[in-house]
Each structure stands twice: as structure tokens, then as C-alpha cells.
Amino acid sequence: MYQIRTYNKISDKGLSRFSKDQYNVGEDVGQPDAVILRSQKLHNEPLPESVLGVARAGAGVNNVPVEEYTKKGIVVFNTPGANANAVKELVLAGMLLGSRGILQGKDYVNTLGDMTDAGEMSKLLEAEKKRFAGSELAGKKLGIIGLGAIGSMVANAALALDMEVLGFDPALSVEAAWRLSSNVRRMESVQALLSQVDYVSLHVPAIEATRNLINAETLSVMKPNAVILNFAREAIVDASAVVEALNAGKLGQYICDFPEPCLIGHDKVVALPHIGASTAEAEENCAVMAANQLMDFLENGNIVNSVNFPHTVMARGEGGCRITFTNENVSGVLGNVLSVFAANNVNVIDMVNKSRNDVAYNILDLAEKPSEDVIAALKAVEHVISLRVI
């Protein structure tokens, strides 16, 4: 029976994917084969040596020490796209908040609590509503940096609102390109995009290359009334530089899902408490995807949506035995493993070998289960990190 440890509250719809006759699931599982979590920080969390995989029910994996786990042969999964619609809808709400005096008008109305005459209130509001006039989104230019699952959905929704959409993504995948409307105009650089748009929405991961992507230099090329929407990650925006630009009249508004002390109380900032993926539907979708990926990995050795291992899938044949192993991505390892099988008359029926950066992953289907001595010999092959018999 497989052991699954949970952190945080994981949707029951996701956990119910684990059949009770094959899986023991709970917060107190002592020697887990895998872990499923949402926001729990694992950087200082001791992880049992039994763990083979960690699934994050969400897209970001900032709370998981990915590099450390990779060295141990632990596969880290995420759930890209599962919460994309929830974030897309909040981005659209952010654009509307940034274009119309919605919050300002609401705050003003809430100051009229002492008025008792409805007619007088109506007359006053008619006179004051011009203070909260805004502009329509139709005809405005939206720039999107990062055209993955969420960015492409935002782009297509903005086009439906009759906006002109410019996009920048140097690593646009073929899959993402298929999702994206041909009406999105691709830009060659961040600066070229920022200099033209009325709104910019950020949809890139928080990695070293994107840290402080929005900074004093990039802000300097933007229109003085432009609106920045950050529903991606806190680290990609230099908040202090944004405040300086807002105060100097060089930026219109900053709307984000990541409050920081320097942003609190600023009249040109709308900061929400990280609610981008906080919908019942998104939490269910993430949990279901994470559970499905873990089950396929534990039962079949397949890897789908890993942030540190290559996408590796091979259909199961009837009977026989499946072995998976992880190794350092250096030449000769697979050949040495196959020579162990050859020396012990073990027939390999099918196999797949994939690599990603410094790690390689292999799935091999054998005619029959090898002996313990053969397994021990395989584990002793130089550069083999871990090995499983399924």
C-alpha cells in the first residue's frame, strides 16, 4: 500500500482520487512514498528518505527546495493550468478596477452614512460621480509578459473585450502557441512592449532571470498613466521602484496580489491578499491534477508536469516487471545498466530515456522481475541516484 502525507487542507475531491485499498493518506503518515501540499514551506522541513515524489497543488514551487530534492532523486510536480481560469478572472477584475473609479466610488458612498434623505443623496451622487469617471478597456493596449497557461487565457479574454494585445515570451512553447490567438502581436523585448501599452499583466515564474523584472529602468519607458497588474509572483516586481514611479507621476496604478509594507495605504495601489487561485474550483482542479500525477508516478513510473525531471511516459504492457531509475546526466550510465541486464540474461522489452539539465530518468519494462542480486548491481552502477522496481 502506498503512503501519502498531506500538508495544508487539500480538496477532498483530489484526495478521493486515491483509492483506499491502495493508498493510506493523511497528515500523520510516518514513512510516506509521496507528499502532496499547497503552501507548506518544506525548505527547513526534514523529509523522510522514503519520499519519492512531492506534488504541489498549484503552479509555483517557491516553497519546495527543488534543487536539493533533485540531487536526492525526488521528483517535484506542480499543476500548471489548473488554477489558470481563477487567476485570469482576477486579472480581468484588476483591469476593471484600474480603469474605472470602482473602489474610490464605493469608498465615497460609504462616507454618506449620516444622510437620511434618499432624494438628497441621489442629487449629491449625481453631482459627485464625475470624480470617479474612468475609461473603457475597449481599444486600449494590454501587454502580457509570459504567455503560458494563464497569460494566453488573459490574452484571449482581452481580445474578446476589444483590447489590442501585445505579448512577450522568449520561451513560448508549441503547446502554448496553439492556445494563443493569432491576433496577439508578439514583441521582441520587454522594453518594446512596456513602452507601448496602457496595461501590462505579468505571468512569469519567480526565477533568477525574472527577479525585479519590473524595476526603475523598465518603469522609465512606460506611459505615465499605465497600469501594472501583478498576479504572478512578488519577486518579479521591485515594489519600492514602483512606489517611486507612482509618487513621481511616472506610473498610473499598481494592482497586485502581493501586499508589501511600502504599498499599504498608497492611493494608487490596489493590493489583494494573494487570492488569485483562491476559488473552490481552482483548489479542486489543482488537487485532482496533483493526485493523478502522483498515482501515475507511483504506480507506473510516469512523470508528467515535473519542475525538475523530464516529461517521461511509457504505456504499460501486460505482465513482466517495470524498473525506473534516476541518474546523473553523464554519458555511459544507461549502457552500464543495460550491460548488467545482458550479463544476467534479463530481457528488456521496452524502454524510454529522457534527460533534463543534470538529471536523467529511465523507464524499462522487463520480461520478468530480476533477482535481488541484479537489483543490487544496478543500484551500484556509478552515477545511478535511485532505482525503483514497480
Side-chain angles (χ1 to χ4, degrees):
M1 180 172 281
Y2 295 110
Q3 307 294 318
I4 309 292
R5 178 185 293 178
T6 63
Y7 290 97
N8 315 120
K9 180 171 175 52
I10 306 297
S11 167
D12 291 337
K13 190 171 181 179
L15 296 184
S16 66
R17 299 290 299 165
F18 296 109
S19 61
K20 293 184 178 179
D21 61 334
Q22 283 187 282
Y23 291 88
N24 177 36
V25 182
E27 296 180 358
D28 301 322
V29 171
Q31 293 297 312
D33 297 295
V35 169
I36 183 169
L37 73 157
R38 289 176 59 206
S39 58
Q40 174 73 27
K41 290 187 178 1
L42 296 183
H43 287 276
N44 297 313
E45 185 85 18
L47 204 65
E49 293 185 4
S50 58
V51 174
L52 304 169
V54 172
R56 158 82 162 96
V61 289
N62 308 55
N63 54 325
V64 180
V66 176
E67 185 176 347
E68 174 189 336
Y69 287 2
T70 304
K71 293 176 181 178
K72 296 179 179 179
I74 298 172
V75 183
V76 180
F77 299 90
N78 68 344
T79 57
N83 59 12
N85 189 68
V87 178
K88 176 206 75 176
E89 291 185 359
L90 194 60
V91 171
L92 295 179
M95 281 197 290
L96 290 167
L97 293 176
S99 64
R100 307 287 294 273
I102 298 170
L103 294 179
Q104 297 85 347
K106 170 186 172 296
D107 290 342
Y108 172 70
V109 169
N110 284 339
T111 68
L112 307 180
D114 293 335
M115 296 189 71
T116 57
D117 187 315
E120 285 298 317
M121 180 177 288
S122 179
K123 185 177 179 180
L124 175 64
L125 292 176
E126 191 64 26
E128 294 292 333
K129 69 179 184 181
K130 60 181 176 293
R131 294 167 49 190
F132 311 109
S135 60
E136 298 180 12
L137 294 178
K140 301 300 187 298
K141 289 184 179 180
L142 168 65
I144 299 177
I145 300 176
L147 294 166
I150 299 173
S152 59
M153 291 181 73
V154 171
N156 293 339
L159 289 170
L161 293 172
D162 293 326
M163 300 184 78
E164 183 179 345
V165 180
L166 287 63
F168 174 75
D169 191 335
L172 184 66
S173 67
V174 173
E175 182 182 357
W178 277 107
R179 291 193 299 260
L180 194 63
S181 169
S182 60
N183 291 321
V184 176
R185 183 152 58 98
R186 292 192 63 185
M187 305 301 290
E188 296 301 318
S189 69
V190 170
Q191 285 80 358
L193 180 147
L194 292 176
S195 67
Q196 298 186 45
V197 299
D198 304 297
Y199 300 82
V200 60
S201 191
L202 308 173
H203 299 287
V204 294
I207 58 178
E208 193 57 38
T210 62
R211 183 174 298 278
N212 288 339
L213 178 69
I214 301 301
N215 53 47
E217 181 181 353
T218 50
L219 286 165
S220 68
V221 304
M222 297 187 70
K223 296 179 180 179
N225 61 344
V227 178
I228 296 175
L229 302 120
N230 180 16
F231 291 87
R233 284 290 178 265
E234 176 182 329
I236 63 180
V237 172
D238 182 344
S240 60
V242 164
V243 170
E244 288 182 13
L246 291 170
N247 291 341
K250 296 180 179 179
L251 182 68
Q253 293 183 71
Y254 180 52
I255 300 171
C256 70
D257 212 13
F258 311 99
E260 297 184 52
C262 66
L263 301 174
I264 304 303
H266 200 291
D267 61 356
K268 294 181 180 180
V269 172
V270 177
L272 303 176
H274 202 185
I275 60 173
S278 294
T279 66
E281 295 88 347
E283 291 181 9
E284 288 179 354
N285 292 341
C286 288
V288 169
M289 184 182 288
N292 287 343
Q293 290 167 180
L294 277 184
M295 287 189 296
D296 195 18
F297 172 62
L298 292 174
E299 296 175 24
N300 302 307
N302 292 329
I303 296 179
V304 177
N305 290 330
S306 171
V307 300
N308 62 337
F309 272 63
H311 179 97
T312 315
V313 174
M314 189 168 76
R316 293 295 296 261
E318 293 185 7
C321 171
R322 171 164 287 192
I323 281 182
T324 68
F325 71 90
T326 301
N327 61 274
E328 297 172 9
N329 189 20
V330 297
S331 62
V333 180
L334 180 58
N336 291 336
V337 167
L338 293 177
S339 68
V340 172
F341 287 132
N344 291 274
N345 298 315
V346 177
N347 185 27
V348 178
I349 299 174
D350 200 1
M351 64 171 290
V352 61
N353 164 258
K354 299 286 186 179
S355 63
R356 179 174 181 175
N357 299 327
D358 296 329
V359 68
Y361 183 72
N362 311 264
I363 303 176
L364 298 91
D365 280 347
L366 312 177
E368 58 186 21
K369 183 178 179 179
S371 68
E372 292 300 321
D373 288 341
V374 171
I375 297 299
L378 293 171
K379 291 180 178 179
V381 171
E382 188 178 10
H383 302 299
V384 168
I385 300 171
S386 62
L387 181 143
R388 293 174 60 205
V389 179
I390 302 176

